[in-house]
Amino acid sequence: MSKTPFLIATAFALCATTLFAAHAEARERSRAVQRTAQGGNVAVERSNARYDSQRQRSWQADGQGNASAARSGAISGANGGNAGYDRSAYRNADGSAGRQGSAYANGPNGGTASTSGGISRDADGNVTGARSTTATGASGNGYTGSTTVSGGTVSHTGTCTNAGGETIACPRGH
């Protein structure tokens, strides 16, 4: 009886085991949680052949009607793109509240986008806020805009430019 089929099967099994073990090791995930009576936080990280990501969240309250929370996260793709965000919010015992945040994205072919802003309400119920956004395509065309709210009035301005920086008409979405 020939030992060749047995040797081929053994070699295949060893190679397959090595490949599957390497694939399993390429995936990683961790999670950390801490909680107290006044708040806590959670952090998660993931890593594999396609992307690396991380996110965190935290919160706290004092039992008197004041509370706050924050979140953030980021991801990087194997193809070179990445994105992230930061957000936070609060509420006070006097009725005032607010939130703010920012986000960004960078495409693997050169496109970018970012936005940031916030909105708040004072103890009397007056609301004010603003948000700004910029985006640039891989071709160099771009958009810059801002939105504000104050005294019940919302206003928006936006400008589109070509790769040379000249103002152009903004295309409408479908």
Side-chain angles (χ1 to χ4, degrees):
M1 179 168 177
S2 174
K3 292 184 183 182
T4 304
F6 175 75
L7 292 174
I8 291 173
T10 303
F12 177 76
L14 288 173
C15 290
T17 303
T18 303
L19 288 173
F20 291 132
H23 182 67
E25 290 175 19
R27 294 182 184 185
E28 295 181 23
R29 179 178 178 175
S30 68
R31 179 180 171 114
V33 178
Q34 294 179 331
R35 290 191 175 127
T36 68
Q38 293 80 31
N41 60 55
V42 176
V44 176
E45 292 186 21
R46 289 183 180 182
S47 180
N48 61 43
R50 294 177 296 159
Y51 66 88
D52 293 321
S53 70
Q54 60 206 9
R55 64 180 194 240
Q56 303 81 30
R57 117 182 136 213
S58 62
W59 62 94
Q60 60 186 14
D62 64 5
Q64 306 298 315
N66 302 303
S68 64
R71 299 183 91 137
S72 64
I75 188 166
S76 297
N79 63 356
N82 60 67
Y85 68 92
D86 287 297
R87 296 187 300 210
S88 63
Y90 68 90
R91 180 195 70 226
N92 294 321
D94 65 2
S96 61
R99 60 187 297 166
Q100 60 185 7
S102 63
Y104 69 90
N106 298 302
N109 298 322
T112 64
S114 65
T115 183
S116 65
I119 191 162
S120 63
R121 179 187 68 220
D122 66 19
D124 297 323
N126 301 307
V127 176
T128 58
R131 174 158 298 281
S132 63
T133 302
T134 61
T136 303
S139 66
N141 287 359
Y143 168 80
T144 301
S146 65
T147 303
T148 59
V149 60
S150 182
T153 302
V154 178
S155 61
H156 174 77
T157 60
T159 304
C160 292
T161 56
N162 63 18
E166 300 165 329
T167 301
I168 58 173
C170 292
R172 297 292 178 194
H174 298 278

